[in-house]
Amino acid sequence: MLLGAGPGDPDLLTVAGQKWLRRADVVIYDRLAPPALLRLCRDDAELIYAGKVARGYTVPQEQIAALMVEKCRAGKCVVRLKGGDPLIFGRGGEEAEAMVQAGCAFRIVPGVTAGAAAGAYAGIPLTHRRDASAVAFVTGQEDPEKEISGLDWDALAKIETLVFYMAVGRLDAVARQLMQAGRAGQTPAAIIQQAATPMQRTIPAELRSIAEEAKKANVQPPAIIIIGDVAAMRKGLAWFEKLPMFGKTILVTRASRQAEGLSARLGELGAEVIVSPTVVIEPPESFESVDAAMSRLSEFDWLVLTSPNGASALTRRLAESGMDARALGGVRLAAIGPATAEVLREKFIEPDLLPETFTTDALAEALTARGVQGKRLLLVRADIASEALAENLRVAGAEVEETSIYRTGRPAALADEAIEALRTGRADWITFTSSSTVENFLALAPSDVDLSGVKLAAIGPVTAGTLRSHGLDPAVVAWPHTIDALVEAIASLGR
Ligand code: SAH
């Protein structure tokens, strides 16, 4: 199957594309296919790179087609993943022909082509009732083996909107040939580099000066060039580059499974998000004490959950032990905050208590207000957790038992991309969502990394305190202590 991966933003994959990627046995992918999409593939899928390898050597087209045929004949579900749309300057037509010749059944899943994405993300309507009734997609790089350009410049010059692919190195010739064919030198144009990604850059120019402007701005591929009156509309319609976090690089240090919500929200605000988990969540070495506590659930008045991880670990362990939500029927449940409550609700469990602010102190206060004198409380927590909660509750007269249902470990290193962003000063923000993300980040950060130019964001006072204990001052502390508020705090400072 030929599958369009879209222009770069993994969110621009189609729903059909997502379905087939999840199903594929073999995925043969290109350089321009967003790497994040490969994470959608099954763990046992065979992933084969067919882009440019060292020194510009490209896997020959016949070899790719032969590989597709071979895998197809072996009875595999083969996905040929191509950047943008497979049939727009993607040689998808040739690959489809090879499939037909070999008698392999195939289908074609279109993708968002770079030209359409560049228009949308730069705020340039490729057609417009008033200004443009026709649009042409044109390649600037004709087959290098062809001697003469096959393009009809006289015809092209008359089309209202022209969208050039692969033309960065040939802007001079493109502009000259269009003007020779009669297109006005003042025609508005725009170069959109890395469209629909946080690195997008738009360079406006008139047709006559476009090559010069591109050189000045040091434009690099991949880029789309849009020529026509519609290019001038960008001034009013540009929206993407005006997003509050556009152009900002943000490091997210959360455990990878939980980083998604935070990263997605920052990405929606235009930021480039680099996920570098500093915490790995692992099961405890033994479930003995957890199981023992769970077998005596009826003896407790309250079960207290201090993190979403604790809540998921609890529901998972119940399931592994052949139990479900009903096992918690006789005990009251306290959750520290909305994210923890959400994990419970997914399993049809409604917490009985949620403090008004989401700190362990507030949780202790809220429980105390309910009267914990002489009550038995079970704290379900991580292996490393502050003793303060249990202490406060004991002082209030509660009988407190604690069990660690998960461990927080430290990964071997930060992500390479994160280290690079820190070293080059590209990182604008680092988000910390718990004290252990702070401790582990500082332990993993290379010694030559200077954090003085980076803004730090903490989810709450405890995390902020841990930063301060290392001599680091958070630029923002979220209020309330939720992911939404953390994102809002970062965005409002950025504005
Ligand atoms: N099949 C692809 C095009 C492949 S040709 C599609 O439909 O989009 C490669 C060219 O696509 C690049 O030289 C560049 O002109 C364009 N391109 C691909 N991704 C791009 C992006 N994110 N931003 C700007 N141009 C892009």
Side-chain angles (χ1 to χ4, degrees), residues 305-424:
L305 292 159
T306 52
S307 71
N309 283 320
S312 350
L314 174 73
T315 57
R316 200 169 328 120
R317 190 59 192 165
L318 280 176
E320 282 165 4
S321 315
M323 292 185 265
D324 60 25
R326 289 170 294 180
L328 303 174
V331 60
R332 269 171 293 172
L333 279 168
I336 192 166
T340 306
E342 210 37 60
V343 173
L344 294 173
R345 288 186 188 122
E346 274 166 25
K347 304 286 179 197
F348 306 107
I349 304 165
E350 185 61 31
D352 301 280
L353 183 143
L354 195 63
E356 271 177 22
T357 62
F358 316 126
T359 63
T360 40
D361 282 352
L363 180 59
E365 257 172 54
L367 278 163
T368 309
R370 289 280 196 104
V372 288
Q373 176 76 45
K375 298 281 197 255
R376 303 190 64 174
L377 274 65
L378 176 63
L379 268 54
V380 177
R381 36 162 277 186
D383 54 338
I384 48 153
S386 142
E387 292 305 320
L389 178 59
E391 273 314 300
N392 286 344
L393 292 168
R394 281 191 190 112
V395 169
E399 203 178 305
V400 180
E401 222 175 286
E402 297 178 77
T403 182
S404 26
I405 200 160
Y406 68 99
R407 281 182 303 154
T408 54
R410 188 198 289 160
L414 294 179
D416 289 345
E417 208 191 346
I419 295 177
E420 187 263 346
L422 287 165
R423 284 213 169 111
T424 55

Side-chain angles (χ1 to χ4, degrees), residues 7-8 32 83-86 88-90 112-115 118 164-167 192-197 221-224:
L32 283 174
D85 181 89
I88 296 185
F89 308 127
V112 176
T113 186
F164 278 90
Y165 291 65
M166 296 176 279
I192 302 107
Q193 180 176 322
Q194 290 196 275
T197 75
I224 288 287

Side-chain angles (χ1 to χ4, degrees), residues 254-293:
R254 282 202 118 175
S256 51
R257 202 151 45 88
Q258 297 167 325
E260 269 162 39
L262 176 56
S263 314
R265 254 165 269 185
L266 292 169
E268 281 158 19
L269 296 176
E272 178 197 14
V273 181
I274 301 177
V275 179
S276 180
T278 54
V279 173
V280 281
I281 307 295
E282 290 163 341
E285 268 164 19
S286 148
F287 276 105
E288 214 174 298
S289 92
V290 174
D291 291 345

